[in-house]
């Protein structure tokens, strides 16, 4: 058999093989339409055929923050932008970073006006600071709000002529590709939830639309995520809970997302392949591992701030889930969460030292999770049952048709044990708000299109209605 024909024959065999690896419970191997002379003609495909793994470098260890001054020295940093928020600026994580910078003679300027749950306005204020500072390295010390704000500041300071909406995800923004290199960014996460230290995504409230959106590009990934579990010991109980719910939904949504080879369109150029690509064999590994840690440690981390093992484990779970969803993506829980947070009226979450109404991101995500996974289960019931099993439910005698109900009940029990508010009605929403919540979800195509089950506006209406009460 000629060399080219042999390659084609082997590829056809691979494409038709039933993979028995437990990380491949969906037909990931069916990726080739036609192979000729050893070359796949992917331009004929409607759906993608490849996925790409991208992640920040991660350094983990108790007390590792003391090394950051040496890192900046090693990078030759001459003018560092340190971003945080006003609450954290008075707490040990920031003090540890400043001590290290001072010890190693690193020149820096501090920006402490990051808004918890940032808006387009707060992003722009941070961007102006960055543009005026002409910084050569960025350091973000805080949760997802701080890290995302720092990513945006770095992005627009590196593209000083760009309009704000140029890089915001379509259809809200223009979603343009980046044209210049960004400066190095070191992220020091102080919460165990967003995984922002691993991803190329920055999320904010777009105030005119009363909905969250974001910027997604692999170039936004921090150069280094410095994960110091000692920093999580300063989280109040409800912050730990809501951060943990974000980890839970990151893992569940990326694990159940549309498989990467069913996502469309197939990019004509790899630069067009999105950061959120659909579930894939590598992201599945991280999602499963994160779920196992959440099942074992989240309740302990919420109930005892001094439980170093639990808090440290959840910090790692956040990283693991971040690597998973940063490449696979999330879907309906996150898509629906954006208008829930963006349309907040008077709700002020416990444990958050802010002056404005707030529905924390993790809470806005998890409140719809029972309804969402009951809805999506019929497309990949095995995965929904596996998730329920990891979270502690005996599914040995459960039928596939019951997968959605079982995972939804598992989540309800989990949330009830952690004293989560009883649905959207408990945070100030009513049935009259559903049309605006649906309207705010529709533009979130970057994530909602990754739902394993197609949905209509009527479906979204039903999901919001079902989430008004969850117990």
């Amino acid at each position: 058999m000629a060399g080219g024909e042999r390659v084609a024959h082997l590829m056809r065999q691979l494409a038709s093989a039933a993979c028995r690896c437990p990380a491949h419970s969906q037909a990931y191997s069916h990726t080739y339409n036609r192979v000729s002379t050893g070359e796949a003609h992917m331009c004929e495909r409607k759906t993608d055929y490849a996925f790409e793994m991208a992640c920040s470098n991660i350094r983990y260890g108790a007390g590792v923050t003391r090394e950051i001054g040496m890192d900046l020295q090693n990078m030759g940093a001459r003018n560092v932008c340190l971003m945080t928020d006003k609450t954290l600026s008075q707490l040990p994580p920031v003090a540890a970073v400043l001590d290290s910078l001072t010890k190693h003679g690193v020149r820096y300027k501090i920006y402490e006006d990051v808004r918890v749950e940032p808006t387009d306005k707060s992003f722009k204020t941070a961007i102006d600071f960055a543009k005026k500072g002409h910084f050569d390295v960025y350091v973000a010390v805080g949760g997802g709000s701080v890290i995302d704000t720092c990513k945006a500041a770095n992005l627009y300071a590196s593209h000083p002529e760009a309009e704000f909406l140029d890089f915001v995800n379509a259809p809200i923004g223009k979603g343009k590709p980046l044209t210049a290199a960004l400066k190095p960014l070191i992220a020091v996460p102080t919460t165990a939830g967003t995984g922002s230290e691993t991803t190329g995504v920055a999320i904010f409230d777009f105030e005119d639309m009363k909905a969250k959106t974001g910027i997604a590009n692999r170039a936004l990934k921090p150069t280094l995520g410095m994960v110091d579990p000692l920093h999580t010991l300063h989280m109040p109980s409800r912050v730990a809970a809501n951060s943990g719910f974000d980890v839970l939904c990151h893992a569940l949504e990326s694990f159940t997302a549309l498989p990467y080879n069913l996502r469309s369109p197939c990019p004509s150029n790899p630069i067009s392949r999105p950061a959120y690509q659909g579930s894939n064999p590598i992201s599945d590994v991280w999602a499963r591992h994160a779920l196992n840690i959440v099942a074992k440690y989240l309740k302990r981390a919420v109930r005892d701030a001094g439980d170093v093992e639990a808090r440290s484990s959840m910090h790692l779970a956040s990283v693991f889930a971040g690597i998973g969803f940063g490449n696979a993506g999330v879907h309906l829980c996150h898509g629906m969460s954006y208008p829930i947070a963006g349309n907040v009226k008077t709700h002020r979450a416990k444990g958050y030292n802010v002056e404005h109404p707030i529905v924390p991101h993790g809470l806005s995500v998890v409140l719809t999770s029972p309804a969402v996974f009951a809805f999506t289960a019929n497309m990949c019931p095995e995965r929904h049952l596996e998730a329920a099993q990891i979270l502690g439910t005996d599914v040995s005698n459960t039928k596939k048709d019951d997968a959605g109900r079982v995972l939804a009940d598992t989540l309800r029990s989990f949330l009830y044990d952690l004293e989560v508010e009883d649905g959207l009605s408990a945070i100030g929403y009513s049935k009259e708000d559903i049309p605006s919540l649906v309207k705010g979800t529709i533009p979130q195509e970057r994530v909602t299109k990754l739902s394993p089950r197609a949905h209509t506006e009527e479906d979204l209406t039903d999901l919001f209605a079902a989430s008004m009460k969850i117990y």
Side-chain angles (χ1 to χ4, degrees):
M1 186 179 292
E5 292 180 0
R6 179 172 175 77
V7 171
H9 176 70
L10 289 173
M11 285 185 168
R12 282 192 293 270
Q13 283 188 316
L14 286 171
S16 61
C19 181
R20 299 181 185 278
C21 171
H24 294 63
S25 61
Q26 297 177 15
Y28 289 121
S29 56
H30 296 184
T31 56
Y32 293 92
N33 273 357
R34 178 165 64 91
V35 181
S36 175
T37 62
E39 183 175 330
H41 293 273
M42 296 308 172
C43 57
E44 298 178 4
R45 292 186 57 93
K46 292 184 178 180
T47 58
D48 209 339
Y49 66 97
F51 67 91
E52 180 175 336
M53 287 299 296
C55 173
S56 304
N57 291 325
I58 297 295
R59 184 184 302 156
Y60 175 89
V64 74
T65 306
R66 69 174 66 96
E67 296 181 356
I68 194 168
M70 289 182 278
D71 287 311
L72 293 166
Q73 263 191 344
N74 295 339
M75 297 165 84
R78 297 183 178 182
N79 186 25
V80 174
C81 176
L82 171 62
M83 288 201 169
T84 189
D85 64 46
K86 281 188 167 60
T87 297
L88 275 166
S89 66
Q90 308 300 316
L91 294 176
V94 171
V97 170
L98 293 178
D99 286 347
S100 185
L101 267 58
T102 301
K103 180 179 178 181
H104 294 93
V106 177
R107 180 173 173 242
Y108 67 90
K109 290 182 181 178
I110 189 167
Y111 180 85
E112 58 183 35
D113 291 328
V114 171
R115 188 183 193 272
V116 178
E117 302 296 334
T119 65
D120 52 325
K121 181 180 178 180
S122 72
F123 264 19
K124 289 174 183 177
T125 303
I127 290 165
D128 288 342
F129 179 86
K131 286 181 176 179
K132 293 174 183 176
H134 302 287
F135 302 107
D136 58 357
V137 180
Y138 291 80
V139 174
V141 187
S145 296
V146 172
I147 299 172
D148 286 3
T149 299
C150 199
K151 289 176 183 176
N154 186 9
L155 169 64
Y156 287 95
S158 301
H159 295 78
E161 304 304 319
E163 298 291 334
F164 182 72
L165 287 177
D166 282 354
F167 302 123
V168 174
N169 298 322
I172 293 174
K174 298 177 182 177
K176 290 184 177 180
L178 278 57
T179 57
L182 276 61
K183 303 297 184 184
L185 190 161
I186 298 177
V188 185
T190 59
T191 60
T194 68
S196 187
E197 66 277 3
T198 71
T199 73
V201 179
I203 302 297
F204 64 94
D205 283 318
F206 193 56
E207 291 186 303
D208 286 349
M209 291 186 64
K210 294 187 176 180
K212 283 186 184 289
T213 184
I215 306 163
N217 192 293
R218 291 184 185 87
L220 267 66
K221 296 191 319 299
T223 310
L224 173 65
M226 187 169 281
V227 183
D228 188 335
L230 297 181
H231 296 334
T232 66
L233 302 179
H234 306 285
M235 282 191 296
S237 173
R238 296 322 299 173
V239 176
N242 292 325
S243 299
F245 298 147
D246 203 16
V247 177
L248 171 65
C249 288
H250 283 157
L252 285 173
E253 289 174 71
S254 62
F255 188 55
T256 58
L258 187 76
Y260 76 93
N261 61 335
L262 297 182
R263 180 186 52 75
S264 61
C266 181
S268 58
N269 187 305
I271 198 173
S272 302
R273 183 167 285 116
Y276 286 2
Q277 303 158 87
S279 59
N280 61 76
I282 300 179
S283 65
D284 288 349
V285 173
W286 296 106
R288 282 188 176 94
H289 197 39
L291 276 179
N292 275 286
I293 296 175
V294 168
K296 184 175 182 179
Y297 289 109
L298 178 54
K299 292 179 183 179
R300 283 173 50 181
V302 171
R303 291 167 179 166
D304 182 2
D307 189 333
V308 177
E309 180 184 20
R311 290 271 171 124
S312 299
S313 296
M314 285 302 301
H315 212 24
L316 270 180
S318 177
V319 173
F320 297 157
I323 296 171
F325 93 85
N327 292 280
V330 287
H331 55 83
L332 287 177
C333 291
H334 271 75
M336 295 170 66
S337 79
Y338 297 149
I340 292 171
N343 284 273
V344 61
K345 300 175 182 177
T346 60
H347 185 72
R348 293 183 181 271
K350 296 178 181 178
Y352 293 80
N353 184 22
V354 295
E355 297 178 354
H356 52 273
I358 180 176
V359 179
H361 175 62
L363 180 60
S364 69
V365 169
V366 84
L367 288 177
T368 62
S369 62
V372 163
F373 291 108
F375 173 77
T376 57
N378 64 353
M379 300 306 295
C380 46
E382 298 89 351
R383 289 188 170 228
H384 287 66
L385 288 175
E386 183 179 350
Q389 184 177 40
I390 292 172
L391 293 173
T393 297
D394 181 2
V395 300
S396 56
N397 295 315
T398 304
K399 297 178 181 179
K400 289 182 181 180
D401 290 346
D402 293 328
R405 176 187 59 77
V406 170
L407 181 53
D409 287 346
T410 301
L411 289 168
R412 286 190 188 94
S413 176
F414 199 81
L415 300 184
Y416 184 82
D417 287 348
L418 286 169
E419 301 178 355
V420 176
E421 290 88 337
D422 187 10
L424 299 179
S425 61
I427 61 170
Y429 289 106
S430 66
K431 291 182 178 179
E432 286 70 31
D433 297 308
I434 291 178
S436 63
L437 295 173
V438 171
K439 181 180 178 181
T441 303
I442 292 171
Q444 311 301 334
E445 295 175 358
R446 179 180 63 93
V447 294
T448 57
K449 70 179 181 181
L450 290 173
S451 169
R453 180 177 173 182
H455 53 278
T456 63
E457 289 187 34
E458 184 178 356
D459 291 326
L460 292 174
T461 297
D462 291 343
L463 289 172
F464 278 116
S467 301
M468 285 295 163
K469 292 185 71 68
I470 56 179
Y471 305 128

